[in-house]
Amino acid sequence: MRPFRIEIPQADIDDLNRRLDDVRWPAPLGDDDWSRGVPVGYLRELAGYWRTQYDWRAAEVELNRYPQFIAEIDGATVHFLHVRSPEPDAVPMLVTHGWPGSVAEFLDVIGPLTDPAAHGGDRADAFHLVIASPPGFGFSGPARPGWHAGTIAPVWAELMNQLGYDRYVVQGGDAGSVISQQVAAVAPDHVIGLHVNMLMTFPSGDPEELAGLSEVDQARLALMGRFDAELSGYMKLQSTRPQTLAYALTDSPVGQLAWIVERFREWADAAKVPEDAVSRDRLLTIVTIYWFTATAGTSAALYYEGAEGMRAMASGWRPEPVRVPAGVTVYPHDPFQPLRGLAHHYLADIVRWSEPDRGGHFAAMEEPDLFVDDVRAFGRTVR
């Protein structure tokens, strides 16, 4: 384990700028709205902002304010932020992001979670934070074949062990939720609580089970159908041909930009454009991290490695439910909404279930205050 600072060579920044100057743009299709993908007019303007106004060096300074480390564990190279609270009785919490996220997702919540007294909160709610990138993401090393949530989980448990944390909370959204559930499953004697802001639930196919779902769950089941029919193209490609996708996204910054921006527009609480939900500069920081680290393919590979398990669950198979105390937050504009009537098949001891009135898939970025309040409230139930 060694200290780490983000220091992108100027030559890499110059190369990005050159590529943004030399983009070969496609013709717009139809009315150039979002129905056929990211509109050319919108993306040209955003790429121009990336080239002329966005400041990567300022983003580096913001990220480097927090202690960062690289750990080598069981063949995995893991990048993580480790921000200790000034409160001696703070509870450790391991936070894991998913795709297309990064540690930058959590910059607005680090202060309130680690030092609540300095942000108008109760010092008893403090956490020590470990915010980690899975193998294949960001500044973590490439994922070798076979890395999926189940193989990452023991590495995460060992990371917390090496940091000296015997009892801790795990938190995650997107793939970070799946990884966090696996950590709770493999280290139940150490994980005192599991908090997720995404929970995948699937019907078994039993007609009686489907008939017993509430109206809310029936509506969420219909949302799952729409996602599969219209919004899941990225998932099908990443879970079947991540290497082919990697060529385009690793060679074209505008391709990488479009691939990620579309997810924010579709998954966030965004009325018209992604910036309705998240900061433009913060969004570009995430895209730029994927670009500089060339992790389009290695991050997509997590879908490929987990595809068999996803297909099994979609066909009705269910894993053994996680038995540590769990909290679930369902943000209304997240397309991945759990069916409340089936949640107990995945989490056996749900001690908190909350449904805020706003927010989407990228909760810590979109609604940092709601995210902080909810994590604090869950923390009080398991401390």
Side-chain angles (χ1 to χ4, degrees):
M1 191 175 297
R2 63 185 186 274
F4 177 80
R5 283 178 59 83
I6 301 170
E7 295 175 326
I8 298 300
Q10 185 59 42
D12 290 357
I13 298 175
D14 294 341
D15 175 69
L16 170 60
N17 289 337
R18 176 185 63 77
R19 291 169 184 265
L20 291 173
D21 284 334
D22 295 336
V23 178
R24 185 186 184 205
W25 291 99
L29 302 177
D31 296 329
D32 199 32
D33 58 15
W34 290 86
S35 62
R36 292 173 172 81
V38 182
V40 176
Y42 167 80
L43 201 67
R44 289 189 78 135
E45 190 277 326
L46 182 59
Y49 180 93
W50 193 11
R51 170 63 180 91
T52 62
Q53 298 181 60
Y54 173 75
D55 186 349
W56 166 255
R57 291 300 187 201
E60 266 189 351
V61 169
E62 186 176 18
L63 286 160
N64 285 332
R65 287 193 188 118
Y66 301 104
Q68 299 172 63
F69 300 86
I70 296 288
E72 307 285 347
I73 302 174
D74 294 341
T77 301
V78 180
H79 168 253
F80 62 98
L81 277 60
H82 185 199
V83 188
R84 287 188 57 84
S85 170
E87 304 298 337
D89 295 329
V91 170
M93 181 163 66
L94 171 60
V95 179
T96 310
H97 67 79
W99 184 89
S102 81
V103 294
E105 281 186 65
F106 304 98
L107 288 173
D108 292 332
V109 303
I110 291 174
L113 288 175
T114 58
D115 192 3
H119 294 81
D122 185 340
R123 64 181 68 250
D125 289 329
F127 292 93
H128 301 304
L129 291 182
V130 179
I131 305 174
S133 290
F137 286 75
F139 300 99
S140 288
R144 66 172 184 254
W147 280 114
H148 53 73
T151 52
I152 293 169
V155 174
W156 264 212
E158 177 58 22
L159 172 62
M160 295 302 277
N161 176 57
Q162 291 190 17
L163 291 172
Y165 295 135
D166 184 60
R167 300 173 67 258
Y168 51 90
V169 171
V170 289
Q171 198 286 326
D174 195 85
S177 167
V178 183
I179 294 169
S180 296
Q181 291 173 63
Q182 290 292 317
V183 177
V186 302
D189 294 336
H190 302 284
V191 176
I192 63 172
L194 161 70
H195 182 275
V196 296
N197 53 283
M198 188 195 84
L199 176 66
M200 300 294 287
T201 58
F202 296 92
S204 66
D206 180 351
E208 290 187 11
E209 181 179 85
L210 290 175
L213 294 177
S214 68
E215 289 187 11
V216 171
D217 278 352
Q218 293 285 358
R220 289 175 176 170
L221 189 60
L223 186 65
M224 290 171 63
R226 175 178 177 259
F227 173 83
D228 185 60
E230 183 183 343
L231 304 179
S232 64
Y234 81 94
M235 179 185 290
K236 291 172 180 176
L237 185 54
Q238 294 194 160
S239 62
T240 58
R241 298 296 185 270
Q243 185 66 68
T244 304
L245 175 67
Y247 297 113
L249 302 190
T250 305
D251 189 58
S252 169
V254 166
Q256 180 70 87
L257 178 65
W259 196 247
I260 290 178
V261 159
E262 187 173 61
R263 306 288 83 73
F264 274 83
R265 200 272 180 170
E266 292 179 344
W267 299 354
D269 189 355
K272 294 182 178 179
V273 294
E275 296 93 320
D276 292 336
V278 298
S279 155
R280 171 174 280 200
D281 282 359
R282 187 59 52 75
L283 174 56
L284 286 171
T285 293
I286 290 176
V287 175
T288 307
I289 288 172
Y290 277 87
W291 174 258
F292 283 143
T293 58
T295 47
T298 55
S299 61
L302 188 64
Y303 284 77
Y304 181 88
E305 300 296 348
E308 184 177 349
M310 286 293 292
R311 286 192 292 268
M313 287 196 291
S315 299
W317 173 80
R318 288 167 177 158
E320 185 70 19
V322 176
R323 301 194 177 279
V324 305
V328 180
T329 309
V330 185
Y331 289 88
H333 293 276
D334 191 333
F336 309 97
Q337 297 197 6
L339 307 182
R340 182 68 178 94
L342 304 183
H344 65 281
H345 291 294
Y346 301 86
L347 305 177
D349 185 16
I350 298 174
V351 298
R352 178 177 170 80
W353 182 283
S354 61
E355 300 193 13
D357 61 0
R358 63 186 188 277
H361 190 69
F362 305 95
M365 289 180 67
E366 297 179 57
E367 299 292 345
D369 291 344
L370 291 182
F371 180 86
V372 167
D373 287 347
D374 195 65
V375 170
R376 286 175 177 171
F378 172 71
R380 292 180 202 122
T381 69
V382 298
R383 286 176 183 269

